[in-house]
mmCIF file of all heavy atoms in Angstrom:
data_model
loop_
_atom_site.group_PDB
_atom_site.id
_atom_site.type_symbol
_atom_site.label_atom_id
_atom_site.label_comp_id
_atom_site.label_asym_id
_atom_site.label_seq_id
_atom_site.Cartn_x
_atom_site.Cartn_y
_atom_site.Cartn_z
ATOM 1 N N VAL D 423 87.629 84.409 19.447
ATOM 2 C CA VAL D 423 86.837 84.410 18.216
ATOM 3 C C VAL D 423 87.082 85.737 17.492
ATOM 4 O O VAL D 423 86.752 86.805 18.016
ATOM 5 C CB VAL D 423 85.337 84.233 18.518
ATOM 6 C CG1 VAL D 423 84.537 84.277 17.229
ATOM 7 C CG2 VAL D 423 85.095 82.920 19.256
ATOM 8 N N ASN D 424 87.656 85.661 16.302
ATOM 9 C CA ASN D 424 87.842 86.835 15.453
ATOM 10 C C ASN D 424 86.528 87.095 14.725
ATOM 11 O O ASN D 424 86.145 86.356 13.812
ATOM 12 C CB ASN D 424 88.982 86.582 14.459
ATOM 13 C CG ASN D 424 89.351 87.818 13.681
ATOM 14 O OD1 ASN D 424 88.483 88.512 13.164
ATOM 15 N ND2 ASN D 424 90.643 88.080 13.585
ATOM 16 N N MET D 425 85.824 88.150 15.113
ATOM 17 C CA MET D 425 84.487 88.403 14.573
ATOM 18 C C MET D 425 84.536 88.733 13.090
ATOM 19 O O MET D 425 83.625 88.352 12.334
ATOM 20 C CB MET D 425 83.839 89.539 15.354
ATOM 21 C CG MET D 425 83.634 89.235 16.841
ATOM 22 S SD MET D 425 82.661 87.737 17.104
ATOM 23 C CE MET D 425 81.107 88.204 16.366
ATOM 24 N N GLU D 426 85.568 89.434 12.632
ATOM 25 C CA GLU D 426 85.678 89.734 11.206
ATOM 26 C C GLU D 426 85.771 88.449 10.391
ATOM 27 O O GLU D 426 85.071 88.276 9.385
ATOM 28 C CB GLU D 426 86.900 90.608 10.956
ATOM 29 C CG GLU D 426 86.811 92.020 11.500
ATOM 30 C CD GLU D 426 88.021 92.843 11.090
ATOM 31 O OE1 GLU D 426 88.165 93.121 9.889
ATOM 32 O OE2 GLU D 426 88.822 93.186 11.977
ATOM 33 N N SER D 427 86.642 87.544 10.817
ATOM 34 C CA SER D 427 86.828 86.290 10.099
ATOM 35 C C SER D 427 85.548 85.461 10.101
ATOM 36 O O SER D 427 85.171 84.872 9.082
ATOM 37 C CB SER D 427 87.976 85.503 10.739
ATOM 38 O OG SER D 427 88.125 84.248 10.135
ATOM 39 N N LEU D 428 84.870 85.413 11.250
ATOM 40 C CA LEU D 428 83.646 84.609 11.351
ATOM 41 C C LEU D 428 82.564 85.149 10.417
ATOM 42 O O LEU D 428 81.945 84.392 9.661
ATOM 43 C CB LEU D 428 83.162 84.606 12.808
ATOM 44 C CG LEU D 428 81.975 83.706 13.149
ATOM 45 C CD1 LEU D 428 82.085 83.228 14.596
ATOM 46 C CD2 LEU D 428 80.636 84.417 12.985
ATOM 47 N N VAL D 429 82.327 86.461 10.465
ATOM 48 C CA VAL D 429 81.257 87.051 9.653
ATOM 49 C C VAL D 429 81.587 86.937 8.164
ATOM 50 O O VAL D 429 80.710 86.632 7.336
ATOM 51 C CB VAL D 429 81.029 88.509 10.080
ATOM 52 C CG1 VAL D 429 80.068 89.205 9.122
ATOM 53 C CG2 VAL D 429 80.488 88.573 11.495
ATOM 54 N N LYS D 430 82.856 87.159 7.795
ATOM 55 C CA LYS D 430 83.239 87.047 6.382
ATOM 56 C C LYS D 430 83.043 85.624 5.868
ATOM 57 O O LYS D 430 82.560 85.411 4.749
ATOM 58 C CB LYS D 430 84.700 87.469 6.215
ATOM 59 C CG LYS D 430 84.932 88.968 6.312
ATOM 60 C CD LYS D 430 86.408 89.292 6.132
ATOM 61 C CE LYS D 430 86.657 90.802 6.241
ATOM 62 N NZ LYS D 430 88.092 91.141 6.107
ATOM 63 N N GLN D 431 83.420 84.643 6.674
ATOM 64 C CA GLN D 431 83.253 83.247 6.258
ATOM 65 C C GLN D 431 81.784 82.906 6.066
ATOM 66 O O GLN D 431 81.397 82.272 5.078
ATOM 67 C CB GLN D 431 83.885 82.327 7.301
ATOM 68 C CG GLN D 431 83.740 80.849 6.983
ATOM 69 C CD GLN D 431 84.378 79.963 8.053
ATOM 70 O OE1 GLN D 431 85.222 80.395 8.813
ATOM 71 N NE2 GLN D 431 83.962 78.715 8.115
ATOM 72 N N LEU D 432 80.945 83.336 7.008
ATOM 73 C CA LEU D 432 79.513 83.044 6.923
ATOM 74 C C LEU D 432 78.882 83.763 5.738
ATOM 75 O O LEU D 432 78.052 83.181 5.001
ATOM 76 C CB LEU D 432 78.830 83.462 8.224
ATOM 77 C CG LEU D 432 77.350 83.129 8.377
ATOM 78 C CD1 LEU D 432 77.122 81.634 8.253
ATOM 79 C CD2 LEU D 432 76.835 83.627 9.714
ATOM 80 N N LEU D 433 79.258 85.009 5.515
ATOM 81 C CA LEU D 433 78.694 85.777 4.410
ATOM 82 C C LEU D 433 79.123 85.187 3.069
ATOM 83 O O LEU D 433 78.330 85.145 2.109
ATOM 84 C CB LEU D 433 79.138 87.233 4.522
ATOM 85 C CG LEU D 433 78.410 88.256 3.661
ATOM 86 C CD1 LEU D 433 76.915 88.233 3.937
ATOM 87 C CD2 LEU D 433 78.955 89.655 3.915
ATOM 88 N N SER D 448 75.809 93.047 1.166
ATOM 89 C CA SER D 448 76.861 94.044 1.362
ATOM 90 C C SER D 448 77.475 93.838 2.751
ATOM 91 O O SER D 448 76.812 93.321 3.666
ATOM 92 C CB SER D 448 76.313 95.463 1.226
ATOM 93 O OG SER D 448 75.444 95.774 2.306
ATOM 94 N N TYR D 449 78.733 94.248 2.847
ATOM 95 C CA TYR D 449 79.452 94.063 4.118
ATOM 96 C C TYR D 449 80.228 95.337 4.423
ATOM 97 O O TYR D 449 80.862 95.927 3.541
ATOM 98 C CB TYR D 449 80.421 92.875 4.024
ATOM 99 C CG TYR D 449 81.368 92.766 5.187
ATOM 100 C CD1 TYR D 449 80.930 92.336 6.435
ATOM 101 C CD2 TYR D 449 82.713 93.105 5.036
ATOM 102 C CE1 TYR D 449 81.814 92.238 7.516
ATOM 103 C CE2 TYR D 449 83.600 93.012 6.101
ATOM 104 C CZ TYR D 449 83.140 92.578 7.332
ATOM 105 O OH TYR D 449 84.008 92.499 8.381
ATOM 106 N N HIS D 450 80.163 95.751 5.693
ATOM 107 C CA HIS D 450 80.883 96.943 6.126
ATOM 108 C C HIS D 450 81.492 96.675 7.501
ATOM 109 O O HIS D 450 80.824 96.151 8.401
ATOM 110 C CB HIS D 450 79.940 98.149 6.211
ATOM 111 C CG HIS D 450 80.593 99.367 6.813
ATOM 112 N ND1 HIS D 450 81.536 100.100 6.144
ATOM 113 C CD2 HIS D 450 80.434 99.957 8.031
ATOM 114 C CE1 HIS D 450 81.940 101.093 6.903
ATOM 115 N NE2 HIS D 450 81.283 101.034 8.064
ATOM 116 N N CYS D 451 82.771 97.028 7.645
ATOM 117 C CA CYS D 451 83.460 96.872 8.924
ATOM 118 C C CYS D 451 84.027 98.214 9.338
ATOM 119 O O CYS D 451 84.784 98.831 8.569
ATOM 120 C CB CYS D 451 84.579 95.827 8.811
ATOM 121 S SG CYS D 451 85.480 95.564 10.348
ATOM 122 N N ASP D 452 83.668 98.654 10.509
ATOM 123 C CA ASP D 452 84.073 99.968 11.012
ATOM 124 C C ASP D 452 85.391 99.845 11.760
ATOM 125 O O ASP D 452 85.430 99.673 12.979
ATOM 126 C CB ASP D 452 82.973 100.529 11.919
ATOM 127 C CG ASP D 452 83.279 101.954 12.358
ATOM 128 O OD1 ASP D 452 84.206 102.548 11.789
ATOM 129 O OD2 ASP D 452 82.573 102.455 13.276
ATOM 130 N N GLY D 453 86.520 99.923 11.028
ATOM 131 C CA GLY D 453 87.833 99.873 11.661
ATOM 132 C C GLY D 453 88.201 98.470 12.140
ATOM 133 O O GLY D 453 87.632 97.465 11.722
ATOM 134 N N ARG D 454 89.160 98.435 13.042
ATOM 135 C CA ARG D 454 89.658 97.160 13.575
ATOM 136 C C ARG D 454 88.724 96.661 14.676
ATOM 137 O O ARG D 454 88.394 97.410 15.603
ATOM 138 C CB ARG D 454 91.073 97.335 14.118
ATOM 139 C CG ARG D 454 91.671 96.042 14.659
ATOM 140 C CD ARG D 454 93.112 96.246 15.067
ATOM 141 N NE ARG D 454 93.664 95.034 15.636
ATOM 142 C CZ ARG D 454 94.164 94.029 14.934
ATOM 143 N NH1 ARG D 454 94.170 94.109 13.608
ATOM 144 N NH2 ARG D 454 94.659 92.961 15.520
ATOM 145 N N ILE D 455 88.321 95.427 14.588
ATOM 146 C CA ILE D 455 87.388 94.828 15.541
ATOM 147 C C ILE D 455 88.149 93.875 16.451
ATOM 148 O O ILE D 455 88.911 93.019 15.988
ATOM 149 C CB ILE D 455 86.256 94.074 14.818
ATOM 150 C CG1 ILE D 455 85.533 95.016 13.848
ATOM 151 C CG2 ILE D 455 85.281 93.486 15.819
ATOM 152 C CD1 ILE D 455 84.884 96.205 14.506
ATOM 153 N N GLY D 456 87.950 94.028 17.754
ATOM 154 C CA GLY D 456 88.621 93.157 18.719
ATOM 155 C C GLY D 456 88.029 91.765 18.763
ATOM 156 O O GLY D 456 86.907 91.513 18.292
ATOM 157 N N SER D 457 88.798 90.838 19.320
ATOM 158 C CA SER D 457 88.325 89.459 19.459
ATOM 159 C C SER D 457 87.369 89.335 20.629
ATOM 160 O O SER D 457 87.392 90.121 21.576
ATOM 161 C CB SER D 457 89.511 88.516 19.665
ATOM 162 O OG SER D 457 90.361 88.531 18.536
ATOM 163 N N VAL D 458 86.516 88.320 20.531
ATOM 164 C CA VAL D 458 85.536 88.025 21.574
ATOM 165 C C VAL D 458 85.864 86.657 22.157
ATOM 166 O O VAL D 458 86.196 85.723 21.412
ATOM 167 C CB VAL D 458 84.101 88.046 21.007
ATOM 168 C CG1 VAL D 458 83.096 87.543 22.034
ATOM 169 C CG2 VAL D 458 83.738 89.463 20.564
ATOM 170 N N TRP D 462 83.129 79.653 18.844
ATOM 171 C CA TRP D 462 83.062 79.946 17.412
ATOM 172 C C TRP D 462 81.849 79.271 16.768
ATOM 173 O O TRP D 462 81.088 79.904 16.007
ATOM 174 C CB TRP D 462 84.358 79.498 16.746
ATOM 175 C CG TRP D 462 84.361 79.567 15.242
ATOM 176 C CD1 TRP D 462 83.766 78.709 14.374
ATOM 177 C CD2 TRP D 462 84.990 80.574 14.430
ATOM 178 N NE1 TRP D 462 83.977 79.101 13.082
ATOM 179 C CE2 TRP D 462 84.729 80.245 13.075
ATOM 180 C CE3 TRP D 462 85.744 81.696 14.711
ATOM 181 C CZ2 TRP D 462 85.202 81.007 12.017
ATOM 182 C CZ3 TRP D 462 86.227 82.459 13.662
ATOM 183 C CH2 TRP D 462 85.951 82.119 12.325
ATOM 184 N N LEU D 465 78.438 80.811 17.926
ATOM 185 C CA LEU D 465 78.231 82.150 17.365
ATOM 186 C C LEU D 465 77.938 82.085 15.868
ATOM 187 O O LEU D 465 77.066 82.800 15.361
ATOM 188 C CB LEU D 465 79.473 83.007 17.625
ATOM 189 C CG LEU D 465 79.687 83.462 19.083
ATOM 190 C CD1 LEU D 465 81.049 84.137 19.240
ATOM 191 C CD2 LEU D 465 78.585 84.416 19.521
ATOM 192 N N PHE D 469 74.489 83.567 13.980
ATOM 193 C CA PHE D 469 74.465 84.517 12.873
ATOM 194 C C PHE D 469 73.923 83.875 11.595
ATOM 195 O O PHE D 469 73.296 84.545 10.770
ATOM 196 C CB PHE D 469 75.865 85.087 12.638
ATOM 197 C CG PHE D 469 76.383 85.882 13.803
ATOM 198 C CD1 PHE D 469 77.681 85.723 14.266
ATOM 199 C CD2 PHE D 469 75.559 86.784 14.465
ATOM 200 C CE1 PHE D 469 78.146 86.442 15.345
ATOM 201 C CE2 PHE D 469 76.028 87.513 15.554
ATOM 202 C CZ PHE D 469 77.317 87.340 15.993
ATOM 203 N N LEU D 472 70.227 84.238 11.796
ATOM 204 C CA LEU D 472 69.786 85.604 11.491
ATOM 205 C C LEU D 472 69.768 85.850 9.984
ATOM 206 O O LEU D 472 68.816 86.452 9.451
ATOM 207 C CB LEU D 472 70.718 86.606 12.174
ATOM 208 C CG LEU D 472 70.610 86.716 13.707
ATOM 209 C CD1 LEU D 472 71.629 87.708 14.243
ATOM 210 C CD2 LEU D 472 69.202 87.124 14.130
ATOM 211 N N LEU D 473 70.809 85.382 9.281
ATOM 212 C CA LEU D 473 70.839 85.549 7.825
ATOM 213 C C LEU D 473 69.737 84.741 7.151
ATOM 214 O O LEU D 473 69.085 85.226 6.202
ATOM 215 C CB LEU D 473 72.205 85.138 7.283
ATOM 216 C CG LEU D 473 73.353 86.127 7.535
ATOM 217 C CD1 LEU D 473 74.684 85.516 7.110
ATOM 218 C CD2 LEU D 473 73.116 87.433 6.803
ATOM 219 N N ILE D 486 70.472 92.720 1.756
ATOM 220 C CA ILE D 486 70.905 92.340 3.112
ATOM 221 C C ILE D 486 72.259 92.986 3.361
ATOM 222 O O ILE D 486 73.231 92.727 2.633
ATOM 223 C CB ILE D 486 70.992 90.817 3.264
ATOM 224 C CG1 ILE D 486 69.614 90.179 3.080
ATOM 225 C CG2 ILE D 486 71.569 90.446 4.630
ATOM 226 C CD1 ILE D 486 69.609 88.675 3.167
ATOM 227 N N ASP D 487 72.314 93.830 4.381
ATOM 228 C CA ASP D 487 73.555 94.511 4.755
ATOM 229 C C ASP D 487 74.057 93.939 6.078
ATOM 230 O O ASP D 487 73.296 93.874 7.053
ATOM 231 C CB ASP D 487 73.330 96.020 4.912
ATOM 232 C CG ASP D 487 73.012 96.689 3.580
ATOM 233 O OD1 ASP D 487 73.302 96.070 2.543
ATOM 234 O OD2 ASP D 487 72.468 97.812 3.591
ATOM 235 N N VAL D 488 75.330 93.568 6.113
ATOM 236 C CA VAL D 488 75.978 93.072 7.327
ATOM 237 C C VAL D 488 77.087 94.052 7.687
ATOM 238 O O VAL D 488 77.931 94.372 6.841
ATOM 239 C CB VAL D 488 76.554 91.663 7.123
ATOM 240 C CG1 VAL D 488 77.211 91.180 8.409
ATOM 241 C CG2 VAL D 488 75.466 90.694 6.683
ATOM 242 N N SER D 489 77.085 94.512 8.921
ATOM 243 C CA SER D 489 78.100 95.479 9.347
ATOM 244 C C SER D 489 78.626 95.119 10.732
ATOM 245 O O SER D 489 77.915 94.529 11.552
ATOM 246 C CB SER D 489 77.533 96.898 9.344
ATOM 247 O OG SER D 489 76.389 96.987 10.185
ATOM 248 N N LEU D 490 79.889 95.492 10.946
ATOM 249 C CA LEU D 490 80.552 95.284 12.232
ATOM 250 C C LEU D 490 81.023 96.631 12.760
ATOM 251 O O LEU D 490 81.687 97.383 12.044
ATOM 252 C CB LEU D 490 81.766 94.355 12.079
ATOM 253 C CG LEU D 490 81.521 92.854 11.979
ATOM 254 C CD1 LEU D 490 82.823 92.136 11.690
ATOM 255 C CD2 LEU D 490 80.909 92.321 13.241
ATOM 256 N N THR D 491 80.694 96.916 14.015
ATOM 257 C CA THR D 491 81.161 98.142 14.665
ATOM 258 C C THR D 491 81.659 97.797 16.056
ATOM 259 O O THR D 491 81.288 96.761 16.627
ATOM 260 C CB THR D 491 80.038 99.186 14.771
ATOM 261 O OG1 THR D 491 78.988 98.676 15.612
ATOM 262 C CG2 THR D 491 79.469 99.543 13.406
ATOM 263 N N GLN D 492 82.510 98.681 16.577
ATOM 264 C CA GLN D 492 83.000 98.507 17.942
ATOM 265 C C GLN D 492 82.972 99.855 18.653
ATOM 266 O O GLN D 492 83.455 100.857 18.128
ATOM 267 C CB GLN D 492 84.422 97.946 17.947
ATOM 268 C CG GLN D 492 85.009 97.758 19.346
ATOM 269 C CD GLN D 492 86.347 97.047 19.328
ATOM 270 O OE1 GLN D 492 86.628 96.269 18.432
ATOM 271 N NE2 GLN D 492 87.169 97.316 20.326
ATOM 272 N N GLU D 493 82.425 99.843 19.863
ATOM 273 C CA GLU D 493 82.367 101.060 20.659
ATOM 274 C C GLU D 493 82.249 100.694 22.131
ATOM 275 O O GLU D 493 81.557 99.748 22.492
ATOM 276 C CB GLU D 493 81.167 101.936 20.252
ATOM 277 C CG GLU D 493 79.826 101.208 20.327
ATOM 278 C CD GLU D 493 78.669 102.078 19.870
ATOM 279 O OE1 GLU D 493 78.922 103.201 19.373
ATOM 280 O OE2 GLU D 493 77.519 101.627 20.017
ATOM 281 N N HIS D 496 82.545 97.067 23.225
ATOM 282 C CA HIS D 496 81.551 96.122 22.725
ATOM 283 C C HIS D 496 81.639 96.013 21.204
ATOM 284 O O HIS D 496 81.920 96.999 20.514
ATOM 285 C CB HIS D 496 80.131 96.545 23.109
ATOM 286 C CG HIS D 496 79.854 96.423 24.569
ATOM 287 N ND1 HIS D 496 80.195 97.414 25.470
ATOM 288 C CD2 HIS D 496 79.271 95.438 25.305
ATOM 289 C CE1 HIS D 496 79.828 97.050 26.681
ATOM 290 N NE2 HIS D 496 79.273 95.852 26.616
ATOM 291 N N VAL D 497 81.393 94.823 20.696
ATOM 292 C CA VAL D 497 81.296 94.575 19.259
ATOM 293 C C VAL D 497 79.831 94.421 18.892
ATOM 294 O O VAL D 497 79.096 93.666 19.545
ATOM 295 C CB VAL D 497 82.082 93.313 18.858
ATOM 296 C CG1 VAL D 497 81.847 92.983 17.391
ATOM 297 C CG2 VAL D 497 83.563 93.504 19.113
ATOM 298 N N ASN D 498 79.393 95.134 17.870
ATOM 299 C CA ASN D 498 78.024 95.031 17.375
ATOM 300 C C ASN D 498 78.035 94.363 16.014
ATOM 301 O O ASN D 498 78.729 94.818 15.093
ATOM 302 C CB ASN D 498 77.379 96.410 17.257
ATOM 303 C CG ASN D 498 77.092 97.022 18.619
ATOM 304 O OD1 ASN D 498 76.268 96.529 19.377
ATOM 305 N ND2 ASN D 498 77.803 98.106 18.936
ATOM 306 N N VAL D 499 77.287 93.273 15.884
ATOM 307 C CA VAL D 499 77.059 92.610 14.599
ATOM 308 C C VAL D 499 75.639 92.964 14.175
ATOM 309 O O VAL D 499 74.664 92.588 14.851
ATOM 310 C CB VAL D 499 77.248 91.091 14.706
ATOM 311 C CG1 VAL D 499 77.042 90.439 13.347
ATOM 312 C CG2 VAL D 499 78.634 90.758 15.249
ATOM 313 N N ILE D 500 75.514 93.677 13.060
ATOM 314 C CA ILE D 500 74.219 94.221 12.635
ATOM 315 C C ILE D 500 73.858 93.624 11.285
ATOM 316 O O ILE D 500 74.671 93.619 10.343
ATOM 317 C CB ILE D 500 74.270 95.758 12.540
ATOM 318 C CG1 ILE D 500 74.689 96.353 13.894
ATOM 319 C CG2 ILE D 500 72.927 96.324 12.107
ATOM 320 C CD1 ILE D 500 74.960 97.845 13.843
ATOM 321 N N ILE D 501 72.623 93.109 11.180
ATOM 322 C CA ILE D 501 72.104 92.550 9.918
ATOM 323 C C ILE D 501 70.813 93.276 9.587
ATOM 324 O O ILE D 501 69.831 93.193 10.346
ATOM 325 C CB ILE D 501 71.875 91.029 10.044
ATOM 326 C CG1 ILE D 501 73.205 90.315 10.373
ATOM 327 C CG2 ILE D 501 71.277 90.475 8.761
ATOM 328 C CD1 ILE D 501 73.063 88.826 10.582
ATOM 329 N N ASP D 502 70.804 94.002 8.471
ATOM 330 C CA ASP D 502 69.631 94.739 7.987
ATOM 331 C C ASP D 502 69.077 94.048 6.746
ATOM 332 O O ASP D 502 69.843 93.504 5.927
ATOM 333 C CB ASP D 502 69.996 96.184 7.642
ATOM 334 C CG ASP D 502 70.347 96.991 8.891
ATOM 335 O OD1 ASP D 502 69.537 97.004 9.833
ATOM 336 O OD2 ASP D 502 71.451 97.589 8.920
ATOM 337 N N ARG D 559 66.098 95.086 11.596
ATOM 338 C CA ARG D 559 67.507 95.112 11.983
ATOM 339 C C ARG D 559 67.699 94.185 13.177
ATOM 340 O O ARG D 559 67.065 94.365 14.223
ATOM 341 C CB ARG D 559 67.966 96.515 12.327
ATOM 342 C CG ARG D 559 69.292 96.549 13.081
ATOM 343 C CD ARG D 559 69.832 97.928 13.277
ATOM 344 N NE ARG D 559 70.420 98.456 12.049
ATOM 345 C CZ ARG D 559 71.093 99.607 11.986
ATOM 346 N NH1 ARG D 559 71.261 100.347 13.082
ATOM 347 N NH2 ARG D 559 71.603 100.018 10.836
ATOM 348 N N ALA D 560 68.571 93.185 13.021
ATOM 349 C CA ALA D 560 68.952 92.300 14.125
ATOM 350 C C ALA D 560 70.352 92.699 14.564
ATOM 351 O O ALA D 560 71.295 92.673 13.764
ATOM 352 C CB ALA D 560 68.916 90.842 13.690
ATOM 353 N N ARG D 561 70.481 93.073 15.845
ATOM 354 C CA ARG D 561 71.767 93.560 16.357
ATOM 355 C C ARG D 561 72.194 92.721 17.556
ATOM 356 O O ARG D 561 71.439 92.591 18.528
ATOM 357 C CB ARG D 561 71.671 95.030 16.746
ATOM 358 C CG ARG D 561 72.976 95.613 17.276
ATOM 359 C CD ARG D 561 72.919 97.141 17.312
ATOM 360 N NE ARG D 561 71.904 97.618 18.221
ATOM 361 C CZ ARG D 561 72.117 97.946 19.507
ATOM 362 N NH1 ARG D 561 73.337 97.814 20.016
ATOM 363 N NH2 ARG D 561 71.126 98.381 20.248
ATOM 364 N N VAL D 562 73.396 92.161 17.470
ATOM 365 C CA VAL D 562 73.976 91.359 18.560
ATOM 366 C C VAL D 562 75.150 92.139 19.136
ATOM 367 O O VAL D 562 76.057 92.545 18.404
ATOM 368 C CB VAL D 562 74.436 89.981 18.073
ATOM 369 C CG1 VAL D 562 75.163 89.241 19.194
ATOM 370 C CG2 VAL D 562 73.252 89.172 17.582
ATOM 371 N N GLN D 563 75.128 92.345 20.438
ATOM 372 C CA GLN D 563 76.176 93.115 21.115
ATOM 373 C C GLN D 563 76.938 92.178 22.060
ATOM 374 O O GLN D 563 76.361 91.565 22.948
ATOM 375 C CB GLN D 563 75.560 94.271 21.899
ATOM 376 C CG GLN D 563 76.592 95.217 22.506
ATOM 377 C CD GLN D 563 75.930 96.342 23.285
ATOM 378 O OE1 GLN D 563 75.490 96.148 24.413
ATOM 379 N NE2 GLN D 563 75.861 97.528 22.667
ATOM 380 N N LEU D 564 78.259 92.075 21.856
ATOM 381 C CA LEU D 564 79.123 91.207 22.667
ATOM 382 C C LEU D 564 80.272 92.035 23.212
ATOM 383 O O LEU D 564 80.752 92.980 22.566
ATOM 384 C CB LEU D 564 79.663 90.051 21.835
ATOM 385 C CG LEU D 564 78.625 89.119 21.200
ATOM 386 C CD1 LEU D 564 79.327 88.168 20.230
ATOM 387 C CD2 LEU D 564 77.871 88.352 22.263
ATOM 388 N N VAL D 566 84.074 92.799 24.173
ATOM 389 C CA VAL D 566 85.385 92.471 23.611
ATOM 390 C C VAL D 566 86.261 91.862 24.695
ATOM 391 O O VAL D 566 86.361 92.382 25.798
ATOM 392 C CB VAL D 566 86.068 93.724 23.036
ATOM 393 C CG1 VAL D 566 87.470 93.389 22.543
ATOM 394 C CG2 VAL D 566 85.237 94.306 21.908
#
Side-chain angles (χ1 to χ4, degrees):
V423 178
N424 188 313
M425 298 304 297
E426 291 185 67
S427 176
L428 186 150
V429 172
K430 286 180 181 178
Q431 179 180 339
L432 185 58
L433 194 57
S448 69
Y449 170 73
H450 173 72
C451 180
D452 186 11
R454 181 175 177 83
I455 304 299
S457 297
V458 172
W462 172 283
L465 288 172
F469 296 135
L472 289 178
L473 285 173
I486 297 178
D487 292 342
V488 180
S489 57
L490 281 174
T491 63
Q492 179 173 332
E493 56 182 7
H496 291 84
V497 174
N498 290 294
V499 182
I500 303 172
I501 300 177
D502 292 307
R559 165 173 284 187
R561 181 166 63 94
V562 174
Q563 186 180 78
L564 301 171
V566 176

